[in-house]
Amino acid sequence: MRKHNFGAGPGVLPEAAIKKTQESLFDFNNSGMGVMEISHRSKDFDAVLQKAKSLVKELLHVPDTHEVLFLQGGASTQFAMVPMNFLKKKAAYIDQGAWSNKAIKEAKLFGEVEVIASSKDKNYSYQPKGYTIPADCDYLHICSNETIHGTQVKNFPASSIPVICDMSSDIFSRPVDVSKFDLIYAGAQKNMGPSGVTLAIIKKDIVGKSERVMPTMLNYKTHLENDSLYNTPPVIAILVCMHVLEWLKSIGGVEAMQKINQQKFDMFYNEVDSNPLFTGTAAAEDRSPMNACFLLKDASMDEAFLAKAKEAGIVGIKGHRSVGGFRASMYNALPVESVKVLVQVMKDFAKANG
Ligand SMILES: *Cc1c(COP(=O)(O)O)cnc(C)c1O
């Protein structure tokens, strides 16, 4: 029996994708070799890479102006690679929580950072809005979904400067207009595949303009010119992504996925808002369908609730230490059924303790 996995990352993956990967481990495409044992320059792997790339383009309607790259080092390496490649003098950042802070820290290594808006005053429980984007900055950095605090940007700001977005925890969960971004990046391990591969969707004409001396591997130009094959890519991680994206396509793509995520979101938050014992921590209008942070009003019952959840096969709902309480991550592959189970545990808990 698989658990109801509400873990924040690495997160649950579609069963179909895991099973298909399993088959490839021992004998890939009848080659007599497992996928971990074949050359990354073989025809068999090139087919995987091209398929994964074309699925990203198809599912997100990526325009011809942009290219899809598979990188390594996680979103955390992008925090440094972005300013290394694009920060000439000054960049604008929005302080939305734990992840933006890490991005800001790296950017400061390369130039001036102007934090143009922040929700720190309320422990990042809402998304900053209505800020002005300075025209004299090289780019605006924004995070689409605050994984730790459970908030999401619902409307991206109109911007006259390039927009760079960390979509690690909500990529492929809803449609996005890729043309509005010069760079989108995401660690794969929340909605796309296993850790070890990092997706970048980059506007081609912004690449290669920096005069900064930088390591070959940290220059987007290297990966753009070599079709993500400058060095050995994370072969198996890309294969899993391909299977996950095939699954996503089979259920109707990002548009259908958004509807399912909305269903899970409604089911969960209807319970939080009507259950007398619980309360949500994020501002209602900014609540994320991917990560839902919630508390027991009486924290002394936390352990008892966790025990009940565990009995029902639920894992991964303990909250991040900076928020406390609980966090239910409801990534794409989390079945609607798992949310039903969690909601039932909350109802039963209220009945027993109300
Ligand atoms: C998980 C996460 C990261 C960190 O990703 P790594 O791949 O582990 O470096 C960065 N940003 C956001 C929004 C995340 O959710």
Side-chain angles (χ1 to χ4, degrees):
M1 245 291 275
R2 281 172 61 84
K3 299 282 186 194
H4 300 292
N5 184 355
F6 288 86
V12 57
L13 290 174
E15 282 185 29
I18 298 169
K19 288 193 173 138
K20 282 195 179 147
T21 305
Q22 229 168 5
E23 291 165 15
S24 307
L25 292 178
F26 198 73
D27 188 359
F28 184 55
N29 286 353
N30 297 315
S31 63
M33 294 175 282
V35 70
M36 294 178 285
E37 305 165 289
I38 62 170
S39 165
H40 58 292
R41 303 199 186 277
S42 64
K43 248 194 202 155
D44 276 341
F45 180 69
D46 194 54
V48 170
L49 183 73
Q50 298 313 325
K51 182 81 207 233
K53 206 166 91 172
S54 71
L55 281 163
V56 172
K57 289 184 176 174
E58 183 182 344
L59 290 163
L60 292 178
H61 314 290
V62 176
D64 291 341
T65 45
H66 289 58
E67 187 52 284
V68 171
L69 306 177
F70 294 105
L71 309 173
Q72 298 194 65
S76 300
T77 298
Q78 294 303 299
F79 294 162
M81 220 165 130
V82 163
M84 188 183 275
N85 282 260
F86 304 118
L87 204 172
K88 293 189 194 88
K89 195 164 173 288
K90 188 167 77 165
Y93 277 70
I94 306 182
D95 173 25
Q96 299 154 283
W99 294 114
S100 343
N101 270 288
K102 288 192 170 169
I104 289 166
K105 179 176 168 225
E106 297 304 299
K108 284 180 175 167
L109 299 172
F110 298 97
E112 205 182 316
V113 171
E114 189 173 335
V115 176
I116 61 166
S118 171
S119 51
K120 193 177 179 181
D121 59 337
K122 290 187 181 162
N123 195 28
Y124 301 113
S125 58
Y126 68 101
Q127 281 291 343
K129 294 172 204 81
Y131 44 80
T132 307
I133 303 166
D136 65 342
C137 285
D138 297 313
Y139 60 83
L140 168 72
H141 182 278
I142 187 166
C143 176
S144 59
N145 188 75
E146 216 331 297
T147 324
I148 290 174
H149 300 273
T151 65
Q152 186 182 50
V153 176
K154 306 293 176 187
N155 298 298
F156 290 98
S159 174
S160 60
I161 60 173
V163 180
I164 294 180
C165 187
D166 176 1
M167 289 195 190
S168 293
S169 54
D170 70 350
I171 193 143
F172 298 114
S173 73
R174 58 174 174 174
V176 287
D177 182 353
V178 174
S179 71
K180 293 222 164 85
F181 301 90
D182 281 47
L183 171 60
I184 292 168
Y185 64 86
Q189 67 273 15
K190 279 129 188 173
N191 253 348
M192 188 187 174
S195 62
V197 64
T198 312
L199 175 70
I201 304 172
I202 195 162
K203 196 170 176 195
K204 288 179 270 190
D205 70 9
I206 66 163
V207 173
K209 291 188 173 156
S210 174
E211 277 159 30
R212 185 176 277 124
V213 174
M214 58 185 127
T216 309
M217 278 296 287
L218 299 180
N219 192 334
Y220 291 102
K221 189 165 180 259
T222 304
H223 303 286
L224 184 65
E225 285 178 347
N226 291 280
D227 197 17
S228 301
L229 282 169
Y230 174 74
N231 73 327
T232 319
V235 168
I236 194 158
I238 294 171
L239 175 78
V240 183
C241 289
M242 182 191 84
H243 287 318
V244 172
L245 297 175
E246 279 174 336
W247 165 82
L248 183 53
K249 186 178 168 182
S250 78
I251 65 160
V254 175
E255 291 76 11
M257 194 72 248
Q258 184 183 35
K259 293 200 179 109
I260 297 168
N261 288 331
Q262 186 67 38
Q263 200 186 339
K264 291 186 275 184
F265 175 92
D266 290 341
M267 210 188 281
F268 177 78
Y269 271 113
N270 283 342
E271 183 56 28
V272 165
D273 291 340
S274 61
N275 190 308
L277 301 191
F278 293 93
T279 182
T281 63
E285 73 274 16
D286 299 326
R287 286 170 168 176
S288 160
M290 295 288 99
N291 313 95
C293 298
F294 62 112
L295 304 172
L296 269 165
K297 290 171 189 163
D298 175 0
S300 73
M301 298 199 282
D302 280 10
E303 289 307 316
F305 177 67
L306 279 176
K308 287 290 173 199
K310 191 175 171 198
E311 268 174 36
I314 290 168
V315 295
I317 59 162
K318 199 170 161 49
H320 190 271
R321 59 190 180 281
S322 61
V323 182
F326 312 98
R327 172 175 48 173
S329 295
M330 301 182 281
Y331 294 125
N332 284 355
L334 184 83
V336 173
E337 180 59 27
S338 294
V339 181
K340 276 189 193 153
V341 170
L342 175 59
V343 163
Q344 193 57 50
V345 171
M346 292 164 76
K347 280 190 200 302
D348 293 346
F349 194 73
K351 230 180 250 164
N353 298 280

